[in-house]
Amino acid sequence: MNLANHRCWVEIDLAALERNLFKIRSTLPSRFLYVAVVKANAYGHGLHQTVARLMQSGADYFAVANVFEAAEIRQIGSGFPILILGPVLPGEESFVIEHDLIVTVSTEEEVERFNKLALASETKVKIHFKIDTGMGRIGVWYEKAPELYQKILKAEGLELCGVFTHFSSADDSAEYTRLQRSRFLDTLQKLPGILQNKHIVIHADNSAGLESLSPNSPFNAVRVGLLQFGVLPYPGSILAEVHPEPVLSFHARVGLVKMLPKGTFISYNRTHQLAHDTKIAVITAGYGDGVPRELSNRGEVIIHGKRCPILGRVTMDQTIVDATAIPEITVGDVATFIGKQSDAEIEAGEFSKWANDIPWAVFCSISKRVDRIYRTPRMQ
């Protein structure tokens, strides 16, 4: 793989993505559907390449944010159910019929609008019914769910395919997650026919909590997002045993190396002053590429297998690091922001902590001017 012409790039290991899917699948009960969440350009990994590999590897379902992402997936492959997690706006309904998409419904207005669309098109509109159990975002409030459910049943043009909720604090509050789960399960009991219909997809977890995997649980699907890309979002998850492999690594080049004397200020606003004579390296990536400004004076990169601290402000196109410990450094060397060199590694989680952010946002923030390079070998 020739990287000589790339100033800043990410490498995406599609074989690792496939191995992660197999590992996750092996942990799930056989009744579970694997719902691959690939919104926001597959979390910055590239929608087309990622979805194609997931289709080849055995994903059952895809979930995205809007009709445009869904339509793009439909162009990649037919026959896969595609769930739109976000609202479908008025004027976007034609995509639903044209591409055979599944919409999320949680209001009376949506029930009426999609039922009217189905009857006018002489077809059925497939829906998942979303219940708000405490996220405070999309979904009918759980106490109102039985009433709206009855309206769905009376809408001749709608085909109910699934019901779900979304946990707001799965990463930081087991107690609140238990409350949301209890509300959801109690609400399901109040929806006649839901639990008896084996064709209804019931999902809540995006990292398969222990309750979902119980033999007596009504859940039969799990939404898999960040985990398939090699990051364990919730260390307490039962899927911690999967040990997913990182799929994405983030790199740039050393663009300049020079010595600066003690006392020199570095970068905008003079937020760092050199305590001694220092060899600095200017890296050809900045916040315009996806290096968060929060890494200023606190993040690191790896060059020649050694960690180099970031000095001063991260700028739009360049990041300055202390390379004093690397006598062999030269222009054109690879600097790694996320990934591994020799025995040194910066994981996405560590990078995100420096950025005071989450891996989802970090991946999505890697900009379009960063080249995506795909490793595509099949598993042996």
Side-chain angles (χ1 to χ4, degrees):
M1 180 167 49
N2 183 8
L3 299 175
N5 296 324
H6 297 283
R7 297 173 59 87
C8 182
W9 71 98
V10 295
E11 295 179 36
I12 297 164
D13 188 342
L14 295 176
L17 174 66
E18 184 173 2
R19 288 190 293 270
N20 288 341
L21 183 150
F22 290 162
K23 290 177 183 178
I24 297 166
R25 171 82 77 187
S26 69
T27 307
L28 299 173
S30 59
R31 73 181 189 276
F32 266 61
L33 295 175
Y34 186 108
V35 182
V37 182
V38 289
K39 57 186 178 178
N41 196 30
Y43 298 20
H45 289 67
L47 186 69
H48 189 280
Q49 295 85 349
T50 298
V51 166
R53 192 54 168 260
L54 289 169
M55 286 180 174
Q56 297 167 8
S57 305
D60 301 302
Y61 236 87
F62 290 92
V64 292
N66 56 58
V67 294
F68 303 103
E69 294 175 340
E72 189 173 349
I73 291 178
R74 184 57 77 217
Q75 299 303 316
I76 300 170
S78 61
F80 290 87
I82 304 172
L83 172 63
I84 302 170
L85 295 169
V88 174
L89 299 177
E92 295 178 344
E93 297 91 349
S94 61
F95 285 87
V96 175
I97 300 299
E98 180 182 355
H99 298 291
D100 187 25
L101 308 177
I102 304 170
V103 299
T104 292
V105 166
S106 59
T107 68
E108 185 173 348
E109 183 274 332
E110 289 171 322
V111 170
E112 294 173 354
R113 177 156 50 101
F114 290 117
N115 187 53
K116 182 178 179 180
L117 172 68
L119 296 177
S121 305
E122 298 183 343
T123 186
K124 292 276 190 179
V125 171
K126 299 173 184 176
I127 70 167
H128 278 213
F129 180 34
K130 185 165 188 182
I131 300 171
D132 182 0
T133 57
M135 178 72 172
R137 198 173 60 176
I138 298 171
V140 61
W141 186 244
Y142 71 99
E143 294 174 322
K144 302 289 186 180
E147 180 182 348
L148 187 59
Y149 177 68
Q150 290 300 324
K151 296 182 183 296
I152 291 172
L153 294 182
K154 293 176 182 177
E156 297 179 358
L158 302 185
E159 179 183 346
L160 181 61
C161 300
V163 58
F164 70 110
T165 193
H166 191 118
F167 297 142
S168 70
S169 306
D171 57 340
D172 64 6
S173 178
E175 180 180 0
Y176 193 68
T177 302
R178 282 193 296 270
L179 173 62
Q180 283 194 263
R181 190 185 301 277
S182 175
R183 287 173 173 175
F184 185 57
L185 293 173
D186 289 346
T187 302
L188 292 178
Q189 296 286 346
K190 300 174 183 177
L191 307 182
I194 284 287
L195 297 178
Q196 293 73 36
N197 189 337
K198 301 302 181 183
H199 299 292
I200 297 292
V201 181
I202 301 176
H203 51 111
D205 290 285
N206 57 1
S207 56
L210 180 61
E211 292 86 350
S212 291
L213 299 181
S214 167
N216 298 322
S217 167
F219 298 100
N220 55 15
V222 59
R223 301 189 300 270
V224 186
L226 202 61
L227 186 67
Q228 64 195 343
F229 297 114
V231 179
L232 186 66
Y234 314 127
S237 165
I238 193 172
L239 287 183
E241 64 191 68
V242 168
H243 301 298
E245 303 174 42
V247 173
L248 179 148
S249 57
F250 183 16
H251 313 274
R253 297 281 181 188
V254 173
L256 180 145
V257 179
K258 68 178 183 179
M259 291 296 302
L260 287 174
K262 175 183 176 180
T264 301
F265 289 103
I266 301 297
S267 195
Y268 289 118
N269 306 119
R270 298 180 298 168
T271 62
H272 183 89
Q273 186 175 24
L274 297 180
H276 48 74
D277 293 352
T278 303
K279 179 190 294 184
I280 66 136
V282 178
I283 310 304
T284 57
Y287 64 77
D289 304 280
V291 181
R293 292 184 74 240
E294 288 80 359
L295 266 65
S296 302
N297 292 308
R298 63 182 301 189
E300 298 176 341
V301 304
I302 304 172
I303 303 172
H304 284 282
K306 298 178 181 178
R307 287 182 174 234
C308 301
I310 293 174
L311 305 179
R313 300 277 194 204
V314 173
T315 66
M316 181 181 290
D317 311 301
Q318 298 165 357
T319 300
I320 304 164
V321 303
D322 184 344
T324 306
I326 309 175
E328 69 272 30
I329 191 170
T330 188
V331 170
D333 285 346
V334 174
T336 296
F337 289 96
I338 301 174
K340 189 172 184 179
Q341 282 192 27
S342 301
D343 294 329
E345 182 174 12
I346 297 173
E347 296 182 342
E350 182 179 16
F351 185 89
S352 302
K353 288 180 180 178
W354 289 333
N356 287 321
D357 216 329
I358 56 177
W360 294 266
V362 163
F363 287 150
C364 290
S365 297
I366 299 175
S367 72
K368 290 184 178 180
R369 78 176 184 182
V370 177
D371 297 328
R372 268 67 173 175
I373 299 172
Y374 293 90
R375 297 178 178 175
T376 59
R378 298 293 301 175
M379 289 180 59
Q380 299 299 319

